[in-house]
Amino acid sequence: MTAKSIYNRNVGNFTHGRHGADEIQVRPVTGVTGQNTEEDGMGEVILESAFKAGVYQQIIQMLREPMVIVDSQYRFLEANERAKDIFPQLKDLNPGDLLSDDMLLYTFKHKQDGEIISDNFILHTDVQRIEYEGQMFYAMLLFDMTEERMQLDQMQRLKVEADMANYAKTDFLARMSHEIRTPINAVLGMAEMILRESSENSVKEYALDIRNSATLLLSIINEILDSTKIETGKLEIIPGNYEIGKFLNELYNMIIVKAQEKGLQLIFDIQKEIPSEYFGDDVRLRQVLVNLLTNAVKYTQKGSVRFTLRVKTDGDNAVLHYAVEDTGIGIKEEDIGKLYSEYQRIDEARNRYIEGTGLGMSITIRLLRLMGSSLKVESEYEKGSVFSFDIDQKIINTEPLNNFKGKIEKEADEYQYVTGYIAPDAKVLVVDDNEMNRKVFCGLLKQTKMQITQADSGAACLQRLREGRFDLIFLDHMMPEMDGIETFHHMRKEQLCEGTPVIMLSANAVTGARENYMKEGFDDFMTKPVMQAKLDEMIQTYLPESLVIAGNYAPAKSNMDEIGLPELDEFDFDYALEILKTEELLMDTLMDFYNSLDDLKEKLNEFVQELEISDYLDQYRIEVHALKSTAATVGALLLSKLARILEVAAKDENIPKIRLLHPVLIEEIDKHKERLSVIAPKEEEKISIDSMDQILPYFEMLSQALDRGDYNSCDFIAKEINKYSYGDLQDSVDTLLGQIRDMESDEALETIAKIQSMV
């Protein structure tokens, strides 16, 4: 009996007849009604077999999963309708035909469970070997995994998209951090220099306000931009000692300008008897209160914002009750729950013109929860709201606060910067493509008398290192052409920094940045804006002890004379003075801006010719980005806005828009330089000299001042040198004066040597 006849008797609706030894005839069973078949005496057997065959076939056909049965030679026996739907070629096969589907045939032959993948289906196969009366055949059950696999693939695609979006977000945060920290670096640095060099208390008070507000802004940026901490629940509470008077003054200065702009009364109702110093996380607490105060001002059109602080003490512990009350629009009862939702603002239609993303309140609530507190909200629609919370803090100093504004005035009067060390023999290299950043860096270290060499690019850094050795290197990350990491790898490859600590200097402060830089091989990492205390700590950690001379060294004071600036078209000097505070500092910055415009215009005109080349487009973006910031700093707001439009166009690779607006930008640069020429120092008639011998001592004095790192003396001597005319040497002298202005010490020393050799 063959495998086919076994099938016929037991699992199918066919029977066989004999037409020779190997010939098999297949025809329908006729015994299901009880009549005799061709084989006498087999009626009951056939009836029973037919009954079983019908049941078995019905079971097979009812299976939701496709099923195919073959004999030991892989000849087709049976398949249910589901299998024939998936493999249409099975419909044309008769029992006994060899399988024509290569995938099915391959699966049967290898007798392995696996998958069959077609254009429309993904099927998991389960092959079973069946033996009956010495014969063998195979049954394959197929499980349709198409939908599950499509869902899995979709989930994988969504995961990839989510990972890409997360990477894009992280990249955005890094860039945004860099964009914001760069101007804050300049603000903090300039404020610090005003504090060091001013003798006027009112000016120092302004500088303290600038420094405190910029520091506060920096702390907010540190937390809000670092959204990975928020999303992963890694926000940390880091307590420390803080003075409540200084803390409150920073809050007041952050909010008062916005309140005054809207004509609101800002009231700080502070309990005078409260202890003056506490132990807690003032950074997180400040972030909470700034958000509550900012929201109160934003959503109040008239009236007042009242900030209240009351304290209950119990031994060394205190419960501080903070409340922010406004006379604003209030909150509907059904909208209070929205306060706990991210990116959602209350009464959206009414408040569509109010700035903000809606993320701040969610952060506030989570921060309070981490500090063991909770936010209480009381509000009456169109009448106002009160936001309050209680927080436990340990008392460090029980002296009463009394008048917190008076304490700040006293701080300004007593402020004097004193460096705790000098290092006149230390050679430090600072690499940064932003000139203002380099100036601030050098200004912060002016009193240490260190020999600071500057480089404005990765290539310039490598050249400085080939020319001489340094004791410490500060290397910026985001630079055009060759960034800080690439530069560092070249330094390693050429063995230019063997034994020299290299500090990564970057405004990229998102989570994981430090770890990434350390993995690259840097000795340490310092964020921008550069903080004086951190910079001093870093220098004293990595400079050899033999180069550091400890002690207290106070800088000399300078008197700041009123210069008096005329009104110039397209320059808002009131705006500029809000940033720079003194006319002397504004005048110096204006002249730096004035002297930079010709070089800037030349670069922009060069880059715009080849915008289709990505490197040139990126260089163009970097230059207009810098122009946007520097123009705003000196009050050239129209020029700054135009540069901003072109920066965005460069980021979007919108070359037609750049080519359309570039001539307008160049025209405005020319007009701004012409306007500034009115206040630019006039060229005085040069003094003729009979012999260079009478002027050479100035160059020697300048060389010695450069060796000492005495930049004040360098500026004075350079002004004296500029009073004379030098004939054939004039170009070299002009180059030298430019190097002094840009604090390029090594280059200036080389130029002096060149001039001396030509005499």
Side-chain angles (χ1 to χ4, degrees), residues 540-585:
Q540 293 181 78
T541 298
Y542 289 102
L543 273 183
E545 292 184 7
S546 59
L547 297 177
V548 179
I549 304 172
N552 293 327
Y553 301 90
K557 296 289 183 180
S558 64
N559 294 321
M560 307 184 83
D561 300 325
E562 292 296 322
I563 299 171
L565 291 168
E567 291 188 5
L568 296 179
D569 289 343
E570 305 302 344
F571 280 91
D572 187 341
F573 290 141
D574 288 336
Y575 178 89
L577 284 169
E578 286 294 323
I579 300 172
L580 300 173
K581 289 300 181 186
T582 69
E583 290 191 353
E584 182 183 48
L585 188 56

Side-chain angles (χ1 to χ4, degrees), residues 35 68 106 109 112 198 207 275 278 318-319 352 424 430 451 472 488 522 552 603 613 625 647 738 744 751:
Q35 67 264 37
V68 181
Y106 177 87
K109 284 185 175 181
Q112 292 179 347
S198 173
Y278 299 87
V319 177
R352 62 188 181 277
V430 57
Q451 303 174 41
L472 187 58
F488 182 66
F522 289 91
N552 293 327
K603 289 179 181 178
I613 302 174
H625 161 74
E647 179 190 12
E744 297 175 349
T751 304

Side-chain angles (χ1 to χ4, degrees), residues 586-611:
L586 173 56
M587 188 66 183
D588 288 343
T589 310
L590 276 170
M591 290 304 97
D592 286 341
F593 181 71
Y594 173 82
N595 292 325
S596 70
L597 290 179
D598 285 339
D599 287 341
L600 172 64
K601 187 172 72 170
E602 183 179 345
K603 289 179 181 178
L604 291 173
N605 283 331
E606 175 188 352
F607 298 147
V608 82
Q609 301 300 321
E610 303 290 347
L611 290 177

Side-chain angles (χ1 to χ4, degrees), residues 108-384:
F108 273 119
K109 284 185 175 181
H110 288 78
K111 305 174 186 63
Q112 292 179 347
D113 296 343
E115 285 186 349
I116 292 177
I117 302 175
S118 67
D119 293 338
N120 301 314
F121 297 98
I122 301 174
L123 303 168
H124 178 75
T125 62
D126 182 8
V127 180
Q128 296 292 332
R129 189 175 80 170
I130 301 173
E131 293 187 16
Y132 184 79
E133 295 184 358
Q135 300 295 321
M136 182 170 56
F137 57 96
Y138 301 96
M140 182 192 301
L141 195 62
L142 299 104
F143 299 92
D144 190 349
M145 306 295 293
T146 307
E147 185 175 349
E148 289 84 349
R149 185 59 58 84
M150 289 176 64
Q151 291 176 349
L152 179 60
D153 290 345
Q154 177 69 8
M155 291 174 62
Q156 290 176 337
R157 282 194 297 271
L158 290 174
K159 182 179 182 301
V160 171
E161 291 172 4
D163 289 343
M164 292 175 64
N166 189 58
Y167 173 80
K169 180 195 70 176
T170 302
D171 183 61
F172 165 77
L173 290 179
R175 292 177 182 275
M176 180 62 70
S177 175
H178 185 273
E179 295 283 351
I180 296 175
R181 285 168 175 274
T182 296
I184 293 179
N185 182 42
V187 172
L188 282 172
M190 296 302 179
E192 183 67 25
M193 288 183 218
I194 294 172
L195 285 169
R196 294 181 188 183
E197 299 181 5
S198 173
S199 59
E200 299 180 21
N201 286 341
S202 61
V203 172
K204 289 162 66 177
E205 285 184 35
Y206 293 143
L208 275 173
D209 287 344
I210 295 172
R211 189 185 68 176
N212 292 338
S213 296
T215 301
L216 175 57
L217 179 59
L218 183 61
S219 69
I220 295 171
I221 291 168
N222 285 341
E223 300 310 324
I224 294 180
L225 287 185
D226 199 356
S227 66
T228 54
K229 287 185 179 180
I230 298 171
E231 293 171 355
T232 58
K234 293 183 179 178
L235 281 169
E236 296 177 332
I237 300 300
I238 305 175
N241 294 351
Y242 67 94
E243 296 179 11
I244 195 70
K246 182 178 179 181
F247 175 84
L248 294 171
N249 185 71
E250 290 172 353
L251 284 177
Y252 184 86
N253 289 331
M254 277 293 293
I255 306 301
I256 185 60
V257 175
K258 285 288 186 182
Q260 290 175 343
E261 286 176 356
K262 298 186 69 174
L264 302 177
Q265 185 180 11
L266 179 63
I267 303 167
F268 265 48
D269 181 7
I270 311 298
Q271 181 181 341
K272 291 185 178 181
E273 299 80 13
I274 67 173
S276 58
E277 190 172 353
Y278 299 87
F279 180 78
D281 192 337
D282 60 316
V283 174
R284 307 294 188 188
L285 183 58
R286 187 188 297 110
Q287 187 175 340
V288 167
L289 291 170
V290 166
N291 184 63
L292 295 179
L293 285 164
T294 301
N295 280 349
V297 172
K298 283 197 300 185
Y299 291 97
T300 302
Q301 301 306 318
K302 61 180 180 178
S304 64
V305 172
R306 176 180 290 272
F307 175 84
T308 303
L309 173 58
R310 298 288 184 266
V311 178
K312 291 182 179 180
T313 61
D314 182 10
D316 291 339
N317 296 316
V319 177
L320 283 72
H321 175 79
Y322 287 99
V324 176
E325 181 179 1
D326 64 63
T327 58
I329 62 174
I331 306 171
K332 296 177 182 178
E333 185 176 351
E334 61 267 25
D335 285 336
I336 290 180
K338 294 181 180 179
L339 291 170
Y340 299 86
S341 301
E342 293 183 357
Y343 307 109
Q344 188 168 6
R345 296 189 302 177
I346 295 169
D347 207 353
E348 186 74 30
R350 182 176 180 179
N351 302 316
R352 62 188 181 277
Y353 297 115
I354 293 178
E355 61 187 9
T357 63
L359 181 61
M361 190 60 73
S362 174
I363 296 173
T364 294
I365 292 167
R366 296 166 79 171
L367 284 175
L368 285 174
R369 188 179 300 127
L370 282 172
M371 292 187 286
S373 183
S374 61
L375 186 67
K376 299 176 183 177
V377 183
E378 300 175 26
S379 185
E380 187 173 352
Y381 191 56
E382 295 190 344
K383 289 190 177 181

Side-chain angles (χ1 to χ4, degrees), residues 356-500:
T357 63
L359 181 61
M361 190 60 73
S362 174
I363 296 173
T364 294
I365 292 167
R366 296 166 79 171
L367 284 175
L368 285 174
R369 188 179 300 127
L370 282 172
M371 292 187 286
S373 183
S374 61
L375 186 67
K376 299 176 183 177
V377 183
E378 300 175 26
S379 185
E380 187 173 352
Y381 191 56
E382 295 190 344
K383 289 190 177 181
S385 306
V386 180
F387 293 82
S388 63
F389 62 90
D390 296 333
I391 189 163
D392 296 332
Q393 304 279 264
K394 183 179 180 180
I395 301 172
I396 301 300
N397 188 343
T398 58
E399 179 186 352
L401 172 65
N402 294 322
N403 184 356
F404 78 91
K405 293 295 290 183
K407 287 183 176 292
I408 298 302
E409 294 168 0
K410 181 180 178 182
E411 180 185 350
D413 183 54
E414 296 176 351
Y415 181 90
Q416 183 182 34
Y417 170 74
V418 177
T419 182
Y421 69 99
I422 58 173
D425 295 327
K427 295 183 178 181
V428 176
L429 174 64
V430 57
V431 186
D432 196 316
D433 64 302
N434 187 292
E435 182 179 356
M436 184 170 288
N437 283 344
R438 299 197 305 273
K439 283 190 174 183
V440 168
F441 189 94
C442 293
L444 291 174
L445 295 178
K446 182 188 294 185
Q447 304 304 323
T448 67
K449 302 186 181 300
M450 289 191 296
Q451 303 174 41
I452 303 175
T453 300
Q454 300 181 48
D456 60 4
S457 66
C461 168
L462 297 176
Q463 184 59 35
R464 302 288 184 277
L465 291 170
R466 295 184 189 112
E467 295 169 353
R469 181 175 177 79
F470 294 89
D471 302 299
L472 187 58
I473 300 170
F474 289 90
L475 180 59
D476 184 37
H477 182 187
M478 292 188 183
M479 297 186 294
E481 297 180 5
M482 186 190 304
D483 69 21
I485 293 176
E486 293 176 282
T487 303
F488 182 66
H489 290 165
H490 281 289
M491 291 160 57
R492 281 280 188 85
K493 185 177 181 180
E494 295 186 39
Q495 297 182 340
L496 297 174
C497 57
E498 290 293 319
T500 301

